[in-house]
Amino acid sequence: MTDDLVPGRLLTEVSYGNPGSVDPSDLVSLLDRPDAEARRAGAEALARMAATAPERLEPHASDVEPHLGTDDEAVRAHLLCALASVAQVTPSAVTATAPAVDALSDDDPQVREWAALLLAYVGGTPAGERRTAIDRLTALLEDEQPTVRRNACLGLAALDAPAAAAVRPLLEDPDGTVRETAAQVVDLLE
């Protein structure tokens, strides 16, 4: 990447122009910039690219994963979203389960939401992370955000967790999508 690449232009091109004209490695390189806005633009553009063309980001998933440790919650949320989109198509392309498990207890609800969905799509964790993932996903069933509760259900189902009893109260959740997902997960886990 050359220094003349403007993060905002890349984001605009991915979002509204011709996403095929943007090299994913240029977007990944923005994550190393000292400027917070450049990092945010790169992360958002990666999420948008992955949402429409996850196969383009798949070869770069391992380059994105180290950036999940950033202090910027917007960058973390966008990167988890991007990796979840990749994992939905090719679960084996994403190996960042430890940072995703850590992100389940993040203060930012979007980070928790995308971390739970990433684990749902990856469909597993190494044995040493499994109990922690199940415990944190179970705790998220009581999150104030409906999307977090919904994705926690999906994550528990993907981990084949013995959590039907924990999910069952969500059959009465005020949010319809949470109730629907909980019903499917309870059926699957029982």
Side-chain angles (χ1 to χ4, degrees), residues 119-149:
L119 290 174
Y121 289 147
V122 169
T125 61
E129 297 170 6
R130 181 175 165 71
R131 182 77 252 156
T132 301
I134 290 171
D135 290 347
R136 289 182 182 173
L137 287 166
T138 302
L140 290 180
L141 295 175
E142 297 180 17
D143 197 275
E144 62 187 42
Q145 297 296 319
T147 53
V148 175
R149 294 192 304 274

Side-chain angles (χ1 to χ4, degrees), residues 150-164:
R150 178 186 166 276
N151 290 353
C153 286
L154 294 171
L156 287 166
L159 293 174
D160 198 25

Side-chain angles (χ1 to χ4, degrees), residues 9-162:
R9 183 187 62 75
L10 291 174
L11 176 57
T12 300
E13 195 69 22
V14 168
S15 302
Y16 309 108
N18 178 10
S21 69
V22 177
D23 184 339
S25 62
D26 285 341
L27 299 177
V28 172
S29 71
L30 291 176
L31 300 174
D32 291 320
R33 292 255 184 113
D35 174 24
E37 289 306 312
R39 292 190 306 274
R40 287 185 191 125
E44 183 178 350
L46 286 164
R48 289 176 185 253
M49 178 180 283
T52 58
E55 69 283 351
R56 295 208 51 230
L57 185 55
E58 181 183 328
H60 304 278
S62 63
D63 299 325
V64 170
E65 292 173 357
H67 297 281
L68 291 173
T70 181
D71 290 338
D72 187 322
E73 64 271 349
V75 171
R76 281 195 313 276
H78 285 305
L79 295 181
L80 286 163
C81 172
L83 291 172
S85 294
V86 170
Q88 183 178 17
V89 176
T90 312
S92 63
V94 178
T95 61
T97 57
V101 170
D102 289 343
L104 292 172
S105 46
D106 198 277
D107 290 337
D108 186 286
Q110 286 188 310
V111 171
R112 295 191 307 272
E113 170 187 345
W114 290 112
L117 191 60
L118 173 59
L119 290 174
Y121 289 147
V122 169
T125 61
E129 297 170 6
R130 181 175 165 71
R131 182 77 252 156
T132 301
I134 290 171
D135 290 347
R136 289 182 182 173
L137 287 166
T138 302
L140 290 180
L141 295 175
E142 297 180 17
D143 197 275
E144 62 187 42
Q145 297 296 319
T147 53
V148 175
R149 294 192 304 274
R150 178 186 166 276
N151 290 353
C153 286
L154 294 171
L156 287 166
L159 293 174
D160 198 25

